[in-house]
Amino acid sequence: MSDWKGRVDADMMRTFPTGQALLVRGEGTQVWDEDGNRYLDFLAGIAVNSLGHAHPAFVAAVTEQAATLAHASNLFNTPPQLELAARLKRLAGTGEQGRVFFANSGAEANEAALKLARRNGSPTRTRVLSVNGSFHGRTMGALALTGKPSLQEPFLPMLAGVEQFEPTLQALRDAIDDTVQAVVLEPIRGEAGVRMFPDGFLAEARELTRAHGALLILDEVQTGIGRTGTWFAFEQEGIVPDAITLAKGLGGGFPIGALVTFGAASELFEPGQHGTTFGGNALATAVGSAVLRTIEDDGLLDNVRERSAQIRSAVASWDSPLVDHVRGRGLLLGIQLTAPIAAEVQRAAFAAGLIVNAPAPDTIRLAPPLIVSAAEVEEFSSVLAGVLSRFADETDRKATA
Ligand SMILES: *Cc1c(COP(=O)(O)O)cnc(C)c1O
C-alpha cells in the first residue's frame, strides 16, 4: 500500500503514534509486513493472540458461526453465549453461584466491574480503590481506575470516589475501611512493566476487603486465559476474588470481554441495570469457546509453563550486563534492563525480525502466543541476545571513550 504512513497521518485519529510497519498477514507465531519481511511475534497483539495468528480452530469458529448466526441482540439468548458462560464458570471455579456478563473489551469489562462495585454501596460506602501505576483501560470509568496521572490529566475531572494508593502492604492497610465498595487490582501489572505485588499483598487484600465488606475485583484482562500458566493468575495466589474481568486472550483476536462473579457478588446486578448491544453475541462467544477449548485440548497451559522456564533459562544464559532480572509468570514476562534503553532495544529487535515491546523505559515485555514452540523460543533467544550484545558493546565503547 503506497504511502501508508501518509495515510495514517491524514486519516487516523491522532491517538496512537504511527505503527512500526504495515502488517498484512500472520500464521502461528509469525507475521509479515507488506514488503514480505517476516517477524517472530513475541507480543501476540499485547497478550491477545493466545492461539497465535490464523489458528485453524479460530478460523473455523469465526467462519462457522458467521455462517450460522452472528448476532441476535440481548432480546434473545444463543447457544454459544451459554456455552462460553458455563465454560468460564467451570474454569474459574465459581461453582453454581457464579455469573458472567459479556462485553467487548477490557475497558468495558472493567466498566461493568465498576458498576458492580457501586452496587455494593450505601450513603457511607462510596469509594473504589486501585493502585498507582495500574492500567484498567481508557474509557472514563476505567480511566478513573487507571493510576497514571499522565493518562488522566487531559480528561479531568475523573469519576468521583475512585482513588489510588501505593502498591505496598502498608498503603493497602491504610486505605481500606468500611467506606470502600471495592478494591480493583491486576494480579500482575502488565502495562506498568510486568510488575508483581510484594509477597502476600493479594492475600492480605483478600482478607481486608472481606473484613470491611468490600469486593475484591481482579482485573485479569491481561493475566487471564492461561497467560500466566494457570487459567487465571489468582489461582496462584491461593485466594478467591469476588469478581474477575477478562478480555485480551479470551477471543484470541476477536473482540470480547467478560466480568465473572463469584458468590454473593453474582446477585448485585438486577435486571435492567447494565447492558450492551454487541456484548455476548453469538459470533464473539463462539470464538471465545473455541479458544478455551483449544487451550484445554492441546494442553497449552503445560506449554506456557515449559516455554516460560525455557525463556528464563535462555535469558540467564546470555549473561548480559544489560539484563538485571526477569519477572512475571508463565508467558507474561518482563526483562528488567540495567539501563533505560528498552525503546531502543525494542526497535533494534524489530529491525532484526522480533516483535517485543517496552512498557517501561527499562523493561522489555514478552507475551508470545500460548502455542509458541521450543524452536521459536530458541530463535527469540538468539535474536534478542544478539541485539543486547551489540548494545553492550556500544555501552562499553562509550564508557572507555
Ligand atoms: C489491556 C488492558 C485493559 C484494557 O483493555 P482494552 O480492551 O484495551 O479496553 C484493562 N486492564 C488490563 C489489565 C489490561 O492489560
Side-chain angles (χ1 to χ4, degrees):
M1 189 177 283
S2 67
D3 190 30
W4 65 271
K5 286 187 180 169
R7 287 173 60 176
V8 170
D9 203 37
D11 298 343
M12 299 295 288
M13 198 67 72
R14 288 196 194 95
T15 53
F16 292 110
T18 304
Q20 300 172 81
L22 189 69
L23 297 183
V24 295
R25 189 167 72 83
E27 192 184 314
T29 306
Q30 312 173 81
V31 290
W32 286 265
D33 70 17
E34 58 163 355
D35 299 322
N37 297 309
R38 167 200 176 270
Y39 303 92
L40 184 65
D41 184 3
F42 262 53
L43 194 58
I46 312 188
V48 166
N49 304 104
S50 29
L51 304 183
H53 300 275
H55 191 287
F58 176 90
V59 174
V62 171
T63 50
E64 281 163 25
Q65 193 60 44
T68 305
L69 180 70
H71 179 86
S73 91
N74 291 306
L75 304 174
F76 304 93
N77 291 101
T78 64
Q81 85 185 175
L82 299 178
E83 185 189 332
L84 183 57
R87 204 178 268 275
L88 284 172
K89 282 178 60 174
R90 171 170 62 80
L91 296 174
T94 67
E96 278 180 22
Q97 270 198 294
R99 293 187 184 278
V100 180
F101 176 83
F102 289 115
N104 308 289
S105 66
E108 271 182 83
N110 285 334
E111 294 289 334
L114 203 44
K115 286 179 76 174
L116 184 83
R118 289 294 195 229
R119 294 289 302 140
N120 184 38
S122 74
T124 55
R125 191 185 289 282
T126 56
R127 298 159 66 220
V128 177
L129 306 180
S130 61
V131 297
N132 288 326
S134 59
F135 185 83
H136 299 288
R138 307 283 206 136
T139 56
M140 287 307 293
L143 184 60
L145 287 169
T146 291
K148 291 190 178 167
S150 63
L151 298 187
Q152 292 184 344
E153 266 156 23
F155 305 101
L156 297 175
M158 286 293 115
L159 190 62
V162 182
E163 297 161 27
Q164 277 81 50
F165 61 95
E166 272 299 301
T168 65
L169 277 165
Q170 193 52 52
L172 170 73
R173 290 175 194 138
D174 292 345
I176 299 187
D177 59 24
D178 291 349
T179 68
V180 177
Q181 296 174 323
V183 177
V184 182
L185 300 169
E186 299 158 87
I188 299 173
R189 282 164 291 147
E191 296 308 302
V194 193
R195 309 228 168 242
M196 317 281 292
F197 286 114
D199 282 343
F201 182 94
L202 288 164
E204 186 143 346
R206 175 65 289 182
E207 270 176 43
L208 288 171
T209 46
R210 188 171 282 135
H212 288 285
L215 303 176
L216 178 64
I217 300 174
L218 296 181
D219 178 345
E220 294 236 24
V221 167
Q222 190 157 158
T223 54
I225 318 298
R227 174 66 41 200
T228 68
T230 48
W231 278 105
F232 306 99
F234 77 80
E235 297 169 67
Q236 296 174 55
E237 302 290 335
I239 58 171
V240 178
D242 297 296
I244 56 175
T245 54
L246 304 170
K248 294 196 164 87
L250 176 55
F254 202 98
I256 184 170
L259 168 70
V260 181
T261 53
F262 298 68
S266 302
E267 307 309 318
L268 288 170
F269 277 129
E270 290 167 19
Q273 289 185 333
H274 196 43
T276 156
T277 296
F278 293 123
N281 87 12
L283 182 50
T285 50
V287 179
S289 276
V291 169
L292 299 182
R293 196 183 311 120
T294 305
I295 293 173
E296 264 191 309
D297 292 353
D298 293 359
L300 293 182
L301 296 185
D302 291 336
N303 191 56
V304 169
R305 291 188 288 260
E306 285 160 22
R307 299 289 77 77
S308 180
Q310 187 189 353
I311 291 172
R312 281 175 179 277
S313 64
V315 176
S317 77
W318 303 342
D319 204 18
S320 169
L322 288 173
V323 174
D324 191 81
H325 66 271
V326 177
R327 60 175 173 260
R329 289 204 172 116
L331 291 177
L332 181 59
L333 296 171
I335 303 178
Q336 175 68 45
L337 302 176
T338 54
I341 56 167
E344 289 111 292
V345 169
Q346 179 265 311
R347 278 194 294 275
F350 187 73
L354 171 69
I355 298 177
V356 295
N357 93 323
D362 55 3
T363 309
I364 294 290
R365 171 172 45 185
L366 310 179
L370 312 188
I371 56 156
V372 68
S373 70
E376 286 161 342
V377 169
E378 278 171 32
E379 183 187 347
F380 148 82
S381 175
S382 80
V383 174
L384 198 54
V387 166
L388 283 176
S389 78
R390 286 204 297 283
F391 275 92
D393 290 348
E394 264 171 51
T395 316
D396 272 358
R397 268 203 304 281
K398 276 186 204 148
T400 51

